[in-house]
Amino acid sequence: MAVSAEYKEFVAEQLEGLGPVRMRGMFGGAGVYLDDLMFGLIFEETLYFKVDDTNRADFEGEGMEPFTYEMRNGKTGALHYYEVPERLYDEPDELVQWARKSLAVMRTARSAKLAKAARSATRKKPAAKRTRKSAPRE
């Protein structure tokens, strides 16, 4: 089921204090972005925020669980996105604080990815040796 335009508009209004949030459709849901960072996910009219070890306890303390999906092989997969507690919709300032933490998670992940790319770029393979052909002897 695709995410309704009304729900996307509701989420954008709730996150106004964060800045110009935009939504991009993906896999029947929508990614929630600020600038070029996807910090949230909407699926079946439910909002999820990105988590790591820095903010996971906030979600688990509220009894929230990760976004899960069924894989082709029948197993269940989970993403590093947890459902946002419903009570936060009545507390937009707190909701924005939680969103900021998820943005920080994404910034940290991006920085780590860029650092890894920079390290691997400095370890490029050496160029192949060229052999020099000598002029024919007379």
Side-chain angles (χ1 to χ4, degrees):
M1 171 172 124
V3 178
S4 70
E6 293 83 10
Y7 189 75
K8 289 190 252 185
E9 184 177 320
F10 168 75
V11 169
E13 287 173 4
Q14 292 289 306
L15 296 172
E16 279 180 348
L18 193 62
V21 172
R22 64 185 172 82
M23 316 287 169
R24 186 184 311 166
M26 57 184 294
F27 308 112
V32 182
Y33 292 80
L34 182 68
D35 300 323
D36 63 341
L37 294 174
M38 185 178 129
F39 68 95
L41 172 67
I42 300 173
F43 194 75
E44 295 183 356
E45 310 292 302
T46 302
L47 177 62
Y48 301 84
F49 282 162
K50 182 73 171 175
V51 301
D52 69 2
D53 292 340
T54 64
N55 66 342
R56 185 176 291 109
D58 296 339
F59 291 86
E60 291 175 347
E62 298 266 351
M64 299 294 100
E65 296 188 0
F67 175 80
T68 60
Y69 60 97
E70 186 176 333
M71 299 183 335
R72 290 183 186 191
N73 62 8
K75 294 183 181 181
T76 299
L79 297 179
H80 294 276
Y81 288 84
Y82 273 60
E83 184 175 349
V84 172
E86 265 191 61
R87 72 169 186 81
L88 293 179
Y89 297 119
D90 294 327
E91 301 292 335
D93 291 338
E94 190 176 355
L95 178 64
V96 167
Q97 289 174 0
W98 284 50
R100 287 188 200 288
K101 288 181 181 181
S102 292
L103 278 164
V105 168
M106 292 305 297
R107 285 187 183 107
T108 299
R110 181 173 61 182
S111 293
K113 186 177 180 179
L114 292 173
K116 182 178 178 181
R119 283 192 305 273
S120 66
T122 59
R123 289 188 228 140
K124 285 185 176 179
K125 295 179 183 178
K129 292 184 180 181
R130 295 183 183 183
T131 57
R132 184 174 171 194
K133 293 185 179 181
S134 53
R137 294 187 178 174
E138 293 184 27

